[in-house]
Amino acid sequence: MAGDWIKIELILPDKPEVIRMAFHLKMDQDTVAGKLFRVWAWAEQNSVDGNGITVTEAFLDRLTNCKRFAKAMRSVGWLDGEDGPLTFPHFSRPNGKTAKE
């Protein structure tokens, strides 16, 4: 839909978390930022609040076409939970109705 969007900070590619993920995944920061957008956009479309999303880390790796991407997200605090009910901490900051108002 034309009205669907998520908020992305201008600094995203240069955030310390992205830099750490890029180092561990051996890819550039812009690629990591794009894959994060892909994950967060998917989560926005498939979750109300980013909590208890019933998917696995393997699914997120397939979604981003990157092995260990979910693990890298977890290592910087952007993914919690166990396979099945995964949670995106601070999901409401860039996503959700309140962020869009």
Side-chain angles (χ1 to χ4, degrees):
M1 284 187 176
D4 290 346
W5 60 277
I6 63 173
K7 181 175 139 186
I8 297 292
E9 292 179 287
L10 295 176
I11 187 109
L12 179 64
D14 297 317
K15 289 188 90 150
E17 296 93 333
V18 172
I19 293 167
R20 288 196 313 269
M21 288 179 69
F23 175 78
H24 290 294
L25 294 169
K26 296 178 177 38
M27 61 179 55
D28 65 86
Q29 293 160 228
D30 292 339
T31 300
V32 172
K35 291 179 182 302
L36 284 166
F37 172 80
R38 179 88 166 99
V39 169
W40 292 331
W42 178 88
E44 170 68 17
Q45 293 175 331
N46 291 281
S47 170
V48 174
D49 61 4
N51 293 310
I53 300 174
T54 309
V55 295
T56 62
E57 287 188 8
F59 170 79
L60 295 179
D61 290 352
R62 280 193 311 275
L63 181 69
T64 59
N65 195 30
C66 179
K67 290 181 182 177
R68 302 178 326 277
F69 195 81
K71 186 175 186 157
M73 285 185 70
R74 186 182 296 282
S75 75
V76 298
W78 284 346
L79 185 66
D80 283 333
E82 299 296 324
D83 277 354
L86 294 175
T87 297
F88 296 93
H90 313 294
F91 182 81
S92 61
R93 287 180 190 166
N95 298 24
K97 187 178 180 213
T98 56
K100 295 176 182 180
E101 288 177 349

